[in-house]
């Protein structure tokens, strides 16, 4: 029997109807996936059932897509560890960044059993101390916990509320084309979690020009998922996410941000050994059979938007 959590009835129905899951075939699907990984001389990956089934579900049981995603997942983590992995779980700077509570997964999914709701406040970090790349390093590192533990996100995907209330031009200038491509490529090509929508609220009008430029570096699918709600966001956002599913600080009933942050910190500490163990996984390009992916060419030379004039 596969060593995986049984899904709640509503999620199991979605997995079967939308993700092509056949419960009677799960054991064989996992066996085939694991055997393929073990035959890849260049690839060192987690192969426990719960982790692998997230990739199968995220790829709607296309074995070829799952193979491609898990290879890219570890290829990018190996090539750009400072962007995609937590190198030191005890780093005081990383712990300080974590405790700012920039990214919060709200406890109740949308419509009770739907996609996970992520509330993100990138403007919380001081730009003289941290970079957006630091934020993504932490986010991508902790995302592995979600892949392993959160069935709602794995099966139904996630919607993001990007609150830009404290976002400044200094924050935007850190979102270079290379950073944006690293962020969007990983989300689209390397992770098994499906982004369903991004709702941007409280975006300063002065940053529209910079935001639209940043958007142009994203894949078309991600551009289409973006919805801007501006400073008067309530009426239009509530059409997609009813107010009750927002955190208490925004007038909703979906948990207190401080309490969620404290719970996230507890979970993070419980996974300390998990993060340390994760550093041994990756790829060895010298052992890869076939062409080596040239992500330096895809991401381009590091640059910025500093030449763009913002009124």
């Amino acid at each position: 029997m596969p060593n995986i959590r049984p899904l709640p009835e509503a999620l199991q129905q979605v997995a079967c109807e939308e993700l092509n899951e056949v419960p009677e075939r799960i054991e064989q699907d996992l066996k085939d996936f694991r055997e393929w990984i073990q035959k890849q001389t260049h690839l060192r990956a987690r192969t426990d059932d719960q982790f692998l089934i997230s990739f199968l579900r995220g790829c709607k049981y296309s074995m070829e897509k799952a193979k491609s995603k898990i290879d890219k997942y570890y290829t990018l983590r190996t090539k750009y560890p400072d962007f995609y992995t937590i190198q030191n779980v005890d780093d005081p700077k990383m712990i300080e960044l974590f405790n700012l509570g920039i990214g919060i997964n709200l406890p109740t999914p949308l419509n009770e059993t739907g996609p996970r709701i992520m509330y993100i406040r990138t403007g919380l970090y001081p730009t003289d101390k941290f970079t957006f790349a630091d934020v993504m390093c932490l986010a991508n590192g902790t995302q592995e916990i979600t892949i392993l533990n959160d069935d709602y996100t794995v099966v139904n995907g996630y919607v993001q509320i990007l609150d830009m209330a404290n976002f400044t031009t200094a924050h935007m200038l850190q979102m270079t084309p290379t950073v944006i491509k690293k962020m969007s490529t990983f989300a689209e090509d390397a992770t098994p979690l499906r982004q369903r929508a991004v709702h941007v609220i409280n975006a300063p009008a002065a940053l529209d020009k910079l935001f639209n430029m940043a958007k142009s570096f994203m894949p078309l699918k991600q551009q289409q998922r973006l919805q801007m709600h501006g400073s008067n966001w309530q009426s239009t956002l509530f059409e997609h996410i009813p107010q009750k599913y927002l955190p208490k600080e925004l007038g909703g009933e979906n948990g207190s941000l401080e309490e969620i942050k404290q719970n996230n910190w507890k979970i993070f500490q419980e996974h300390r050994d998990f993060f340390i163990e994760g550093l041994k996984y990756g790829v060895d390009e010298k052992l890869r059979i076939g062409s080596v992916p040239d992500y330096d060419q895809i991401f381009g030379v590091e640059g910025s938007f500093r030449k763009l004039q913002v009124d």
Side-chain angles (χ1 to χ4, degrees), residues 16-148:
C16 293
E17 294 179 357
E18 298 183 16
L19 306 184
N20 304 316
E21 182 162 295
V22 179
E24 296 78 14
R25 267 205 346 240
I26 288 176
E27 185 171 7
Q28 186 62 48
D29 289 334
L30 286 169
K31 181 175 181 291
D32 292 344
F33 193 19
R34 183 179 298 103
E35 287 180 352
W36 176 85
I37 292 172
Q38 292 170 342
K39 290 177 182 177
Q40 307 313 301
T41 55
H42 70 287
L43 179 61
R44 303 181 308 279
R46 295 187 186 277
T47 56
D48 54 283
D49 288 349
Q50 194 67 60
F51 188 71
L52 292 186
I53 201 170
S54 295
F55 279 84
L56 291 175
R57 286 169 172 164
C59 296
K60 298 185 178 181
Y61 279 83
S62 165
M63 189 64 71
E64 292 309 307
K65 288 184 179 179
K67 293 173 183 177
S68 175
K69 281 216 170 190
I70 202 165
D71 188 282
K72 290 175 180 176
Y73 182 83
Y74 284 109
T75 297
L76 287 167
R77 285 166 59 95
T78 301
K79 187 169 180 59
Y80 307 103
D82 292 338
F83 194 92
Y84 294 118
T85 67
I86 297 174
Q87 291 292 294
N88 180 3
V89 293
D90 300 316
D91 181 358
K93 183 179 178 181
M94 189 278 302
I95 294 172
E96 181 181 350
L97 184 61
F98 184 99
N99 285 317
L100 290 175
I102 293 171
I104 298 288
N105 287 357
L106 302 184
T108 303
L110 183 62
N111 301 322
E112 309 299 323
T113 61
R116 179 68 63 194
I117 303 169
M118 300 180 179
Y119 180 56
I120 301 168
R121 298 170 291 172
T122 53
L124 287 184
Y125 73 91
T127 55
D128 60 344
K129 190 167 188 178
F130 302 101
T131 68
F132 190 73
D134 293 329
V135 174
M136 291 311 303
C137 169
L138 180 61
N140 289 323
T142 56
Q143 186 184 70
E144 198 166 15
I145 297 177
T146 300
I147 292 172
L148 189 67

Side-chain angles (χ1 to χ4, degrees), residues 232-260:
N232 298 315
W233 49 267
Q234 286 84 351
S235 59
T236 55
L237 179 66
F238 294 166
E239 294 176 6
H240 304 275
I241 303 176
Q243 185 174 10
K244 66 174 289 187
Y245 294 106
L246 300 182
K248 291 180 180 178
E249 288 80 353
L250 295 181
E253 305 170 10
N254 206 353
S256 158
L257 293 177
E258 184 59 33
E259 291 175 357
I260 298 170

Side-chain angles (χ1 to χ4, degrees), residues 141-175:
T142 56
Q143 186 184 70
E144 198 166 15
I145 297 177
T146 300
I147 292 172
L148 189 67
N149 294 334
D150 189 351
D151 294 323
Y152 284 97
T153 306
V154 169
V155 173
N156 281 322
Y158 60 92
V159 297
Q160 294 173 310
I161 301 173
L162 182 56
D163 190 340
M164 301 181 72
N166 299 302
F167 203 76
T168 66
T169 304
H171 289 100
M172 192 67 191
L173 291 174
Q174 292 187 353
M175 295 179 64

Side-chain angles (χ1 to χ4, degrees), residues 206-220:
L207 291 179
D208 280 351
K209 190 184 295 185
L210 283 170
F211 191 85
N212 287 331
M213 178 173 283
K215 182 178 174 181
S216 70
F217 291 101
M218 299 177 183
L220 181 59

